[in-house]
């Protein structure tokens, strides 16, 4: 395995040079008449030039060739046929609770890379208007070969569930294992190498970018700490390749262009618009130590805010191992109807509220105002358990993509994948009437 070096911090302004070419970054300016080593200067902007300084994101890349050196883009036919991002009307709306069994990995003998393995489960909004989100799964078994991908429509938050991802980006290399996540912001080119069959989840947002949630009364520390986010260091390759493919996701469709060289030829860079990864085991859990529940928002790792204060286009929330000590309290998750949409996945282990049917590599969707909560077994156990301090969720990592938008399920998600559990509703049918005088 190659070495991976990282810079620590979230939202920081970083500088990085490939150690093989020291002083590749220009001094005192971004775009000199001639860059060191004969490099080209290229800016990658993640926000409007005039965005407030606190929201302004951009990086300067110093590369062997500018990224404009490619042949014209053409439609990329036949690849990722179940990727969506514009048409949310193909299925009739369905307000029912939905649960998917683990999504199938590619069949033996069929090579499917990360891009070809993208399948959209649900989403909302419009990529042209830069407002909305999509939830995808990737189901792949081979590495991308002389191919790079970039998303013109928004940011990808990638959650591996099976198999690590060896990701090469223009900024350097990331190695992302299950129970880690990574974010590849809009427009950044990357390529994914695999060590075997791989499956995972992707939250794509069209509005803005992910940020750390405000802590409010929690204070200065807690939840995901900025220093635990890792950005790759510069690492380039100067490689001529006949027919290297650049795949672009643009307005929900895939396009491909060819060029004669690897796009990962950035010798040095600086800026605050960067890819990054995070280890979910480093999340500092905060919870009630007296009675009742804090709302699950206390488990938010990253958020993509909307224009309404306190309301997110998407939150990424986890339910990690922790102590449960509340007194006089039903400790499992409470029954709930929500003005938000809740898509859940399971990386490993058994989710505390539904240990029987919610499996790693599967998912669930509880749409706006659709009731949900513990199954019968969990309710009876939580209602009658001895209330003593106990560890919960050990050996488990569940997560949630929560959104203020009402998401539609794709035809692949509801029909084609054949993983939707038609008997999911049965887990609540045994709940009894306990009312008495």
């Amino acid at each position: 395995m190659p070495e991976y070096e990282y810079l620590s911090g979230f939202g920081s302004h970083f500088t990085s040079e490939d150690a093989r070419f020291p002083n590749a970054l220009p001094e005192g300016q971004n775009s000199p008449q001639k860059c060191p080593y004969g490099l080209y200067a290229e800016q990658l902007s993640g926000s409007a030039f005039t965005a407030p300084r606190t929201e302004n994101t951009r990086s300067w890349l110093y590369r062997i060739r500018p990224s404009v050196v490619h042949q014209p883009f053409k439609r990329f036919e036949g690849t990722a046929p179940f990727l969506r991002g514009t048409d949310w009307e193909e299925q009739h709306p369905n307000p029912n609770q939905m649960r998917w069994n683990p999504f199938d990995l590619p069949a033996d003998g069929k090579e499917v890379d990360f891009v070809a393995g993208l399948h959209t489960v649900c989403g909302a909004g419009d990529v042209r208007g830069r407002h909305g989100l999509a939830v995808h799964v990737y189901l792949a078994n081979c590495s991308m070969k002389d191919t790079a991908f970039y998303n013109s429509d928004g940011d990808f938050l990638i959650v591996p569930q099976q198999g690590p991802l060896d990701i090469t980006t223009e900024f350097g290399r990331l190695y992302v294992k299950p129970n880690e996540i990574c974010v590849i912001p809009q427009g950044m080119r990357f390529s994914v190498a695999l060590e075997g069959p791989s499956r995972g989840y992707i939250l794509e947002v069209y509005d803005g970018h992910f940020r750390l949630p405000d802590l409010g009364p929690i204070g200065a520390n807690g939840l995901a700490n900025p220093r635990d986010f890792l950005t790759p260091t510069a690492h380039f390759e100067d490689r001529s390749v006949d027919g290297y493919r650049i795949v672009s996701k643009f307005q929900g469709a895939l396009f491909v262009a060819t060029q004669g060289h690897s796009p990962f030829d950035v010798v040095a860079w600086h800026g605050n618009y960067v890819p990054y990864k995070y280890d979910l085991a480093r999340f500092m859990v905060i919870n009630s130590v007296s009675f009742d529940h804090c709302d699950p928002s206390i488990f938010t790792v990253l958020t993509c805010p909307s224009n309404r204060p306190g309301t997110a286009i998407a939150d990424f929330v986890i339910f990690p191992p922790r102590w449960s000590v509340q007194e006089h309290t039903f400790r499992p998750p409470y029954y709930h109807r929500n003005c938000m949409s809740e898509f859940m996945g399971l990386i490993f282990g058994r989710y505390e509220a539904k240990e029987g049917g919610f499996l790693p590599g599967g998912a669930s969707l509880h749409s706006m105002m659709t009731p949900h909560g513990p199954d019968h077994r969990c309710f009876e156990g939580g209602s009658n358990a001895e209330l003593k301090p106990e560890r919960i969720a050990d050996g488990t990592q569940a997560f949630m993509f929560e959104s203020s938008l009402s998401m539609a399920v794709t035809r692949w998600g509801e029909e084609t994948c054949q993983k939707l559990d038609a008997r999911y509703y049965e887990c609540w049918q045994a709940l009894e009437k306990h009312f008495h005088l």
Side-chain angles (χ1 to χ4, degrees):
M1 181 186 297
E3 293 183 4
Y4 299 83
E5 296 182 359
Y6 301 103
L7 304 166
S8 169
F10 188 92
S12 305
H13 190 110
F14 299 106
T15 63
S16 185
E17 298 175 335
D18 190 306
R20 293 170 291 178
F21 284 79
N23 303 313
L25 281 172
E27 289 190 17
Q29 64 180 118
N30 295 319
S31 187
Q33 185 178 23
K34 289 188 178 181
C35 293
Y37 300 109
L39 298 171
Y40 287 87
E42 179 178 282
Q43 183 176 213
L44 178 61
S45 295
S47 63
F49 295 146
T50 53
R53 183 178 287 269
T54 54
E55 300 174 13
N56 204 302
T57 56
R58 63 91 174 92
S59 287
W60 280 90
L61 312 177
Y62 300 92
R63 55 194 321 148
I64 297 172
R65 297 177 185 85
S67 58
V68 72
V69 182
H70 62 77
Q71 298 298 309
F73 280 100
K74 300 177 181 178
R75 286 295 297 266
F76 200 18
E77 303 292 350
T79 297
F82 301 111
L83 182 67
R84 295 289 181 270
T86 54
D87 180 13
W88 304 116
E89 306 298 328
E90 62 180 6
Q91 289 291 98
H92 196 274
N94 184 347
N96 285 300
Q97 302 94 346
M98 294 185 178
R99 181 170 68 190
W100 288 267
N101 293 317
F103 297 103
D104 286 338
L105 291 161
D108 291 340
K110 182 179 181 181
E111 290 195 346
V112 179
D113 68 13
F114 178 85
V115 174
L118 292 172
H119 299 71
T120 307
V121 181
C122 54
D126 174 42
V127 294
R128 294 180 178 90
R130 295 298 313 282
H131 175 65
L133 79 163
V135 175
H136 316 281
V137 293
Y138 65 87
L139 308 165
N141 62 2
C142 71
S143 300
M144 295 168 63
K145 300 178 178 67
D146 292 333
T147 301
F149 175 80
Y150 73 94
N151 183 8
S152 299
D153 298 332
D155 289 9
F156 269 0
L157 188 158
I158 303 173
V159 185
Q161 184 272 319
Q162 177 177 326
L165 304 181
D166 188 350
I167 304 176
T168 300
T169 78
E170 294 173 276
F171 292 76
R173 300 172 299 181
L174 291 161
Y175 191 76
V176 189
K177 300 175 292 185
N179 212 42
E180 296 180 329
I181 62 167
C182 72
V183 172
I184 310 292
Q186 179 189 14
M188 293 182 185
R189 297 178 177 186
F190 67 99
S191 184
V192 178
L194 304 179
E195 298 175 4
S198 296
R199 174 173 56 203
Y201 311 85
I202 299 175
L203 172 59
E204 179 184 12
V205 293
Y206 310 147
D207 308 60
H209 303 291
F210 291 103
R211 63 179 66 174
L212 293 174
D214 292 331
L215 295 180
I218 292 174
N221 305 289
L223 310 186
N225 291 307
R227 70 176 182 143
D228 293 326
F229 289 82
L230 302 177
T231 288
T233 56
H235 182 87
F236 79 96
E237 59 181 23
D238 183 9
R239 190 163 64 93
S240 296
V241 182
D242 186 22
Y244 195 106
R245 298 188 302 177
I246 305 294
V247 180
S248 170
K249 179 176 173 292
F250 178 75
Q251 295 185 5
L254 292 184
F255 298 82
V256 62
T258 59
Q259 60 187 46
H261 62 280
S262 167
F264 304 119
D265 61 354
V266 177
V267 179
W269 59 266
H270 76 87
N272 62 349
Y273 190 53
V274 295
Y276 53 88
K277 76 168 196 169
Y278 175 73
D279 183 349
L280 300 180
R282 293 183 176 272
F283 187 82
M284 178 185 165
V285 179
I286 291 175
N287 209 346
S288 171
V289 294
S290 56
F291 60 87
D292 281 351
H293 282 269
C294 300
D295 291 323
S297 49
I298 61 168
F299 301 121
T300 301
V301 180
L302 293 169
T303 184
C304 179
S306 72
N307 292 327
R308 287 181 288 167
T311 306
I313 293 297
D315 286 330
F316 174 61
V317 179
I318 63 173
F319 302 98
R322 59 199 183 275
W323 281 96
S324 183
V325 299
Q326 298 99 317
E327 301 172 343
H328 316 296
T329 297
F330 180 72
R331 290 180 179 176
Y334 46 75
Y335 294 101
H336 189 40
R337 290 179 293 166
N338 195 352
C339 63
M340 308 282 276
S341 302
E342 300 180 11
F343 178 94
M344 286 193 64
L346 186 61
I347 300 173
F348 53 80
R350 297 188 302 175
Y351 179 56
E352 58 196 282
K354 297 181 182 68
E355 294 189 354
F358 188 45
L359 301 175
S364 68
L365 175 65
H366 300 135
S367 297
M368 282 188 175
M369 294 304 173
T370 294
H372 54 280
D375 60 19
H376 172 258
R377 179 180 174 184
C378 180
F379 175 79
E380 293 297 331
S383 299
N384 297 292
E386 180 184 356
L387 294 182
K388 59 183 180 181
E390 61 178 336
R391 289 283 298 177
I392 60 172
D394 276 336
T396 294
Q397 189 63 269
F399 70 87
M400 179 168 65
F401 300 153
E402 185 174 67
S403 175
S404 61
L405 303 182
S406 186
M407 293 194 285
V409 178
T410 63
R411 182 169 294 125
W412 182 86
E414 192 165 358
E415 298 177 5
T416 310
C417 73
Q418 298 185 341
K419 291 298 173 182
L420 197 61
D421 182 359
R423 302 181 63 180
Y424 181 31
Y425 75 96
E426 294 180 2
C427 74
W428 294 288
Q429 298 309 303
L431 289 167
E432 303 174 37
K433 176 181 175 181
H434 293 290
F435 180 74
H436 60 82
L437 296 177

